[in-house]
Amino acid sequence: MEQHRVEHLAIIGGTHGNELTGAWLLERWRRQGEVVRRPSFQTHVLLGNPKALQQVRRYIDQDLNRSFDRDAVVPERADVATRGDRNYEYDRAIALRGQLETFRVIPDGVLVDLHNTTANMGISLIFVNQSPFNLKLAAWMQKRLPGVRAYCWLDESLPRRSASSVVERGVTIEVGPVANGIVRGDLFWKTEQTVEGVLDFVEEYNAGRVAFDGADEVELFIHERSVDFPRDERERIRGFVHQDLQDRDYLPLEPGAPLFSTLDGETLRYDGPPGLCPVFINEAAYYEKKIAFSLTRRELRRI
Amino acid sequence: MEQHRVEHLAIIGGTHGNELTGAWLLERWRRQGEVVRRPSFQTHVLLGNPKALQQVRRYIDQDLNRSFDRDAVVPERADVATRGDRNYEYDRAIALRGQLETFRVIPDGVLVDLHNTTANMGISLIFVNQSPFNLKLAAWMQKRLPGVRAYCWLDESLPRRSASSVVERGVTIEVGPVANGIVRGDLFWKTEQTVEGVLDFVEEYNAGRVAFDGADEVELFIHERSVDFPRDERERIRGFVHQDLQDRDYLPLEPGAPLFSTLDGETLRYDGPPGLCPVFINEAAYYEKKIAFSLTRRELRRI
C-alpha cells in the first residue's frame, strides 16, 4: 500500500470554526492556486465547517473532528438538541467523506487537516496511525523544518474518529499558540510553509526520491494518557494549569514539577514517572473534554 | 464628588463569557474572601454573564459590555433573534444595575470590571471618563505596579455603554494576551495583584493619604480612532495583522510601518502621522466590530 504513488491530496481547513488559519489559507490559495499545485498529483481544498466558521465557534452540534465514524452521533453540549439521530457535524462528515471519495482521496490519497491550538505546540504533525508513509513524512519534515514535532495517537480505539483517520496516509497539522478567532501573521506563514513542505514531500515520494536506509531517525511523541483538571466534589474545575507548566509542551516532566494551582492557592505536583512529555497544555477546547494536558513518551525510531 | 469617601466597591467578573480569569477569580474570592476585604469599605462581587460563561461564548444576544444604556438593545449577530425589544444581555444589564443600586455602588461607589484580551495589552486600566479619582487611581497604580497602562476612551458619545460607565469612579481591568476560554496562571495572579492594588488605593484614598501635589505625572493613552481590516469589494476581510505589528501594543507607529498582510501576500503600510500608539491589536472579539486595532495618543499629564 505504502508504495502507491499519490494521485490525489486533499487539504481541509476550518474543521473547527474558531481556528481561522486554515480557513484563511484556503481563501488565499483560491486566489494564489500555484502555492499548493504540484506536477505529479492533484491538490483539492475543502472547507470543513462553514456554519461554525460563520459563527466563529468550534462546532455547532458536536466536534467535527470526532465525527468521521458512521456511529459518531454524540452531541457534546447538553444545550444542543440533535435533529433525530443526525446533527450538523455528522452531516458535514458524511458530505466531506463523499467529496473525498469523488476526488479519489479515499481510499488511497493523502489528507492534510489544518488546525490551531491555544497550547504552545509550535508546528506539530499529528498522526493517528504509524503507516510507513506517515513515518517517512515525519522524518522528512523534521529535516526540512527543524523544530517540527510528530505526535502519534491511535484513534482506532476511539468511537469517534478524526478527519485525518479516513485514509491511511493522513496528517493533522496543529499550530500554536494562537487564540481562537484570530489569525496570527507569523503562524499563518509558518502553516503555509509546513503545507508546502508536505506537498514537496509527496512530490519527492512520487518521484521515488524519498529514501531512508535505516540510518536515519525520526523523533516521535507517543500518546500515553490525558490528565484532567483538579475538580471538587461536584465535579467543577477547582484549579488551573500552573504558570510553570504553561507553554512547556514537549519538555520532559520530572517528579515534583508543579502541574496545577488550585483556586485556594495550593500547588499540585506531578508524581508520575520521570521523562514523560506533556502536550496540548491548556488547550481551550479540551476543558470540556476533561483534558488539561496529555502525556507522551518520546521515542527515536530508526527509519 | 471626588472627595467622597468610598463606602461600596463592586467587582464584576465574567462580563464576557469566554474571558475566564475574572469569573474564576470570583470563585477564588468566594473561598478566600479576605483577599478582597478592606477595613474602610464594603466589597461586592458580581458575576456578569452566567449564561454566556456556561457556553464559553462572549455573549448570547449582544455584547453585555455595550449594554449599560437604557436604549441599548442592538443585537450584534444576525443569526440571533431578540425577544421582542429585549434580549438576554439587556436583561442582565438591568439586573446588574439593580444590584449595584442595592449595594449603593450606584451612584457614588467604585466599579471594577475584569476582562481579558487576545491582544498584548499587559495590564491595562481602561477609563471611560477622566474624573480626578480615576486619574489619581491611574497615577497611583503606575507607581505601585510599573508597566500598568492607562487607556482612556470616552464612551459618553457612544449609544451603547460599558459596565464601568455606570458610575463616575469606574475602571475596566483588561489583561492579555490570553486566548478566550482558558485561564493562564501567570495572568490570573497578575490580575489578582492588580485588583488588590485598586483596593489598596481606595483604602489609602479613604484615609486621606492619596496626595498628588502637581509634581507627579500620569501616563495616559487617549483614544483617537479605530482602524478596520482591509476588505474586498464584498466587504469581506482580505488581510490580517502583519506579523511585525502583532504584540506591539502601546509602541509608537512610524510612517511606513507594516500594518497588514493581504491574502495575496501584499504588505499594507501605515501612512498616518508619527507617534500614535496602537492598542487592542488583533483582539478576537473586535473582528466583528471592524476593529483590527485602535490608535491612541500618548500623553503625560501633571497631577
Side-chain angles (χ1 to χ4, degrees):
Chain A
M1 178 71 120
E2 54 150 329
Q3 285 157 16
H4 284 181
R5 282 182 85 252
V6 175
E7 306 277 353
H8 294 275
L9 177 146
I11 307 172
I12 304 186
T15 297
H16 293 135
N18 54 8
E19 299 174 9
L20 302 190
T21 309
W24 288 38
L25 277 170
L26 256 55
E27 179 61 28
R28 168 167 160 74
W29 300 329
R30 239 174 246 126
R31 294 155 183 255
Q32 312 269 332
E34 69 281 5
V35 177
V36 291
R37 219 172 282 135
R38 293 294 179 278
S40 74
F41 59 93
Q42 283 236 319
T43 304
H44 310 271
V45 297
L46 294 169
L47 195 57
N49 199 327
K51 198 165 163 185
L53 273 161
Q54 204 189 356
Q55 296 184 26
V56 201
R57 294 166 66 177
R58 184 173 174 92
Y59 56 79
I60 303 299
D61 293 325
Q62 70 177 31
D63 190 336
L64 176 58
N65 205 30
R66 302 289 183 280
S67 298
F68 284 84
D69 186 291
R70 295 192 188 277
D71 303 320
V73 186
V74 187
E76 313 207 20
R77 292 185 7 184
D79 63 314
V80 169
T82 54
R83 301 188 293 281
D85 60 343
R86 309 178 77 181
N87 61 32
Y88 180 70
E89 276 79 13
Y90 182 68
D91 291 348
R92 277 304 295 157
I94 290 171
L96 286 165
R97 255 186 192 282
Q99 286 178 288
L100 293 169
E101 282 163 7
T102 304
F103 294 149
R104 301 193 6 240
V105 173
I106 293 178
D108 62 357
V110 171
L111 183 61
V112 179
D113 190 24
L114 303 180
H115 286 261
N116 284 136
T117 172
T118 63
N120 186 23
M121 293 285 277
I123 303 284
S124 292
L125 307 179
I126 305 184
F127 299 101
V128 295
N129 76 65
Q130 297 170 30
S131 67
F133 177 92
N134 286 353
L135 293 183
K136 285 176 187 167
L137 170 60
W140 195 91
M141 290 294 286
Q142 287 175 358
K143 284 192 183 172
R144 162 132 169 188
L145 297 170
V148 164
R149 305 291 199 176
Y151 169 33
C152 301
W153 55 293
L154 301 175
D155 75 353
E156 282 90 348
S157 61
L158 296 176
R160 299 176 282 159
R161 296 174 66 187
S162 62
S164 67
S165 72
V166 299
V167 286
E168 189 180 277
R169 304 189 285 191
V171 60
T172 300
I173 299 179
E174 188 74 68
V175 179
V178 58
N180 293 329
I182 71 168
V183 169
R184 263 192 82 97
D186 50 356
L187 296 180
F188 182 89
W189 297 119
K190 267 196 191 173
T191 307
E192 181 169 276
Q193 271 174 26
T194 308
V195 169
E196 289 196 89
V198 173
L199 299 171
D200 291 344
F201 167 80
V202 174
E203 192 65 20
E204 292 291 291
Y205 181 89
N206 278 350
R209 284 195 296 264
V210 172
F212 290 103
D213 56 4
D216 284 286
E217 275 183 337
V218 58
E219 179 195 50
L220 304 175
F221 291 84
I222 312 289
H223 183 85
E224 290 258 317
R225 64 188 172 91
S226 295
V227 177
D228 190 10
F229 291 90
R231 292 181 185 272
D232 65 15
E233 63 290 345
R234 289 170 54 197
E235 284 298 295
R236 294 175 313 182
I237 294 181
R238 65 174 185 93
F240 48 87
V241 168
H242 193 281
Q243 57 186 348
D244 293 345
L245 178 62
Q246 180 72 45
D247 298 332
R248 291 179 56 84
D249 302 78
Y250 292 112
L251 300 178
L253 264 186
E254 296 307 318
L259 297 183
F260 298 104
S261 297
T262 71
L263 294 174
D264 298 312
E266 200 189 338
T267 296
L268 306 182
R269 295 176 183 278
Y270 178 64
D271 61 1
L276 293 182
C277 301
V279 296
F280 278 119
I281 299 170
N282 213 4
E283 156 56 36
Y286 292 176
Y287 281 49
E288 70 175 12
K289 294 189 202 291
K290 302 196 169 188
I291 299 174
F293 56 87
S294 294
L295 289 172
T296 66
R297 190 172 28 80
R298 180 171 175 273
E299 196 178 300
L300 293 174
R301 199 173 301 173
R302 283 220 174 277
I303 186 169
Chain B
M1 178 69 117
E2 54 150 327
Q3 284 157 16
H4 284 180
R5 284 181 85 251
V6 175
E7 306 278 352
H8 294 275
L9 178 146
I11 307 172
I12 305 185
T15 297
H16 293 135
N18 55 8
E19 300 174 9
L20 302 189
T21 309
W24 288 38
L25 277 170
L26 256 56
E27 179 61 28
R28 168 166 160 74
W29 299 330
R30 238 173 249 128
R31 294 156 182 254
Q32 313 269 332
E34 68 281 4
V35 177
V36 291
R37 219 172 282 137
R38 293 295 180 278
S40 74
F41 59 93
Q42 283 236 320
T43 304
H44 311 272
V45 296
L46 294 169
L47 194 57
N49 200 328
K51 198 165 162 184
L53 272 161
Q54 205 191 355
Q55 296 185 27
V56 201
R57 294 167 65 178
R58 184 173 175 90
Y59 56 79
I60 303 299
D61 293 326
Q62 69 178 31
D63 190 334
L64 176 58
N65 204 31
R66 301 290 184 279
S67 298
F68 284 84
D69 186 292
R70 296 195 185 277
D71 303 320
V73 186
V74 188
E76 312 207 19
R77 291 188 6 189
D79 64 313
V80 169
T82 54
R83 301 187 296 282
D85 59 344
R86 308 180 76 183
N87 61 33
Y88 179 70
E89 276 79 13
Y90 183 66
D91 293 347
R92 278 304 294 157
I94 290 171
L96 286 165
R97 255 186 193 282
Q99 287 178 286
L100 294 169
E101 282 162 8
T102 304
F103 294 149
R104 303 198 358 245
V105 173
I106 293 177
D108 61 359
V110 171
L111 183 62
V112 179
D113 189 25
L114 303 180
H115 286 261
N116 284 136
T117 172
T118 63
N120 186 22
M121 295 286 275
I123 303 285
S124 292
L125 307 179
I126 306 185
F127 299 101
V128 296
N129 76 65
Q130 298 171 30
S131 67
F133 177 93
N134 285 353
L135 293 184
K136 285 175 187 168
L137 170 60
W140 194 91
M141 290 293 287
Q142 286 175 358
K143 284 191 182 172
R144 162 131 168 189
L145 297 170
V148 164
R149 306 292 199 175
Y151 169 34
C152 300
W153 57 291
L154 301 175
D155 76 351
E156 282 90 348
S157 62
L158 297 176
R160 298 176 284 157
R161 298 174 66 187
S162 62
S164 67
S165 73
V166 299
V167 286
E168 189 181 277
R169 304 188 285 191
V171 60
T172 300
I173 299 179
E174 188 73 69
V175 178
V178 57
N180 292 329
I182 71 167
V183 169
R184 263 192 81 96
D186 49 356
L187 296 180
F188 182 89
W189 297 119
K190 267 197 189 174
T191 306
E192 180 169 276
Q193 270 176 26
T194 308
V195 169
E196 288 197 89
V198 173
L199 298 171
D200 291 344
F201 167 81
V202 174
E203 192 65 20
E204 292 290 292
Y205 181 89
N206 279 351
R209 285 196 295 265
V210 172
F212 290 103
D213 57 5
D216 284 287
E217 275 183 336
V218 58
E219 179 194 51
L220 304 174
F221 291 84
I222 312 288
H223 183 86
E224 290 257 319
R225 64 188 172 90
S226 295
V227 177
D228 190 10
F229 290 90
R231 290 181 186 274
D232 66 15
E233 63 289 344
R234 288 171 55 198
E235 285 297 297
R236 293 175 313 181
I237 294 179
R238 66 173 184 91
F240 48 88
V241 169
H242 194 280
Q243 58 187 350
D244 293 346
L245 179 61
Q246 179 72 45
D247 298 332
R248 291 179 56 83
D249 301 77
Y250 292 113
L251 300 178
L253 263 186
E254 296 308 317
L259 297 182
F260 298 104
S261 298
T262 71
L263 294 174
D264 298 312
E266 201 188 338
T267 297
L268 306 181
R269 293 175 183 278
Y270 178 64
D271 60 1
L276 293 182
C277 301
V279 296
F280 278 119
I281 299 169
N282 213 4
E283 158 55 37
Y286 291 176
Y287 280 49
E288 70 175 11
K289 294 188 201 295
K290 301 197 169 186
I291 299 174
F293 56 88
S294 294
L295 289 172
T296 67
R297 189 171 30 78
R298 180 172 175 273
E299 196 178 300
L300 293 174
R301 199 174 299 173
R302 284 219 172 279
I303 185 168

